[in-house]
Amino acid sequence: MDPPNPMPTEKDSIFSEPTTPVMPQIDTLAITLSLSPNPAPSYMEHHVYAPPTPSPAPATLSPVPSRDPDTLGSLIEVRESENKGLGVFALCDIPPQTILLCESPLVTLQDDGARVDPLDTTVNALSPEKNKVFFSLSSYSRNKNESLSRSIIYSNGYSIMNDLATGLFETASRINHSCVPNSQYTWKESIGKIMFWNRFKLLAGEEVTVDYGHKKKYLKRIYGFDCTCGGCTDSGSGARSDGFSSSGSESGVMEDMGRIDEVVNEGGARVEKI
């Protein structure tokens, strides 16, 4: 994701059962920054339900495909996005509720408190091709002591497995942010994949976007970019002058972000986006 596109619990419909966005959980040892789908504001609500979960690939298939169904090259493509690095775009007109992407993690991170960073072990075990993909993703660090691998996964990871792990994806991690997104996503535990679908009809050449779930000024502080989406720049499209994400949660973020800075500045703290 460039910038990150950058995390979800399994819900068949984000609109029929709105959830409270996961807020940072802070203690003296670790900080969690979780990116999860948020319910759309009332003016955007269209009651668009998630498509049915696709059937898993046959167990006899080897190697097991990371994308199933594989829509890359037929429905979507990864290419340059203006001022955003790489992004994911529609290759043709796509009707609403179409599965745009269903993908297994390239890397799954579950911190277990071990002295050896489990992420380094996981990344080192990747094949040369997948290792190259991992390090081609963008990175932004607020902590000078943070490793490159950590910066990459914090900048591009999604919360998976009921917020118990972070997943980094070859294609999904290229999807860029918008405060007024055209697509949604959820983690499908039954098939071990993250699934994206479009809320509205996408036109050929249109960029696929999701909401990272943070207010505009915190997108800059956490991910290092200024949001220039229609919701932030076009006063005629429901933009909010207070700089909040159109679907981000306001409650508690100011206090939480202040505490994050306090912990990070103490030194030795570990910032985790899981």
Side-chain angles (χ1 to χ4, degrees):
M1 216 168 338
D2 295 276
N5 311 284
M7 307 179 202
T9 58
E10 186 168 357
K11 295 280 186 185
D12 284 338
S13 170
I14 195 167
F15 298 103
S16 60
E17 297 182 10
T19 58
T20 301
V22 178
M23 299 306 299
Q25 304 297 315
I26 295 122
D27 56 33
T28 58
L29 295 179
I31 305 167
T32 297
L33 297 177
S34 181
L35 187 162
S36 300
N38 298 292
S42 58
Y43 71 84
M44 290 177 57
E45 192 168 342
H46 284 258
H47 300 287
V48 178
Y49 298 97
T53 302
S55 300
T60 55
L61 193 61
S62 181
V64 178
S66 61
R67 293 178 298 272
D68 186 27
D70 196 347
T71 55
L72 188 65
S74 59
L75 204 62
I76 58 172
E77 67 174 347
V78 176
R79 61 178 173 84
E80 289 288 335
S81 176
E82 186 176 2
N83 300 321
K84 297 180 181 179
L86 295 178
V88 174
F89 292 80
L91 278 172
C92 56
D93 291 355
I94 305 174
Q97 284 186 280
T98 298
I99 295 177
L100 303 174
L101 180 65
C102 193
E103 186 175 36
S104 301
L106 176 69
V107 168
T108 299
L109 173 62
Q110 287 181 281
D111 278 329
D112 56 8
R115 298 184 66 179
V116 177
D117 190 342
L119 180 58
D120 291 340
T121 302
T122 302
V123 172
N124 290 338
L126 293 173
S127 67
E129 295 78 13
K130 291 184 176 181
N131 186 276
K132 183 177 181 180
V133 170
F134 179 89
F135 284 107
S136 71
L137 289 162
S138 65
S139 64
Y140 175 76
S141 176
R142 297 174 65 242
N143 183 349
K144 65 181 180 180
N145 297 318
E146 191 172 87
S147 70
L148 177 58
S149 295
R150 286 271 168 175
S151 295
I152 288 173
I153 203 164
Y154 295 159
S155 298
N156 301 281
Y158 290 86
S159 179
I160 62 174
M161 299 166 58
N162 292 321
D163 296 328
L164 297 177
T166 301
L168 184 133
F169 300 81
E170 179 177 356
T171 307
S173 290
R174 300 290 187 187
I175 297 176
N176 287 313
H177 165 84
S178 174
C179 298
V180 283
N182 55 35
S183 302
Q184 299 286 154
Y185 62 91
T186 189
W187 172 253
K188 293 291 186 178
E189 187 66 34
S190 60
I191 57 174
K193 289 180 169 61
I194 195 169
M195 187 176 79
F196 293 76
W197 71 97
N198 53 319
R199 300 170 56 227
F200 318 111
K201 179 181 178 179
L202 297 180
L203 301 179
E206 186 174 355
E207 183 170 9
V208 176
T209 58
V210 296
D211 186 352
Y212 290 179
H214 297 288
K215 295 180 291 185
K216 181 178 179 180
K217 57 187 172 183
Y218 294 120
L219 292 169
K220 176 69 171 180
R221 294 177 63 179
I222 296 171
Y223 302 111
F225 69 89
D226 291 305
C227 184
T228 58
C229 74
C232 292
T233 60
D234 185 356
S235 59
S237 65
R240 301 185 59 167
S241 59
D242 57 8
F244 291 104
S245 164
S246 63
S247 60
S249 171
E250 176 179 352
S251 175
V253 174
M254 286 291 290
E255 178 182 355
D256 288 332
M257 290 304 298
R259 293 173 64 194
I260 287 173
D261 282 340
E262 290 177 6
V263 175
V264 170
N265 291 334
E266 287 176 2
R270 193 173 62 214
V271 180
E272 299 180 3
K273 189 173 84 178
I274 59 177

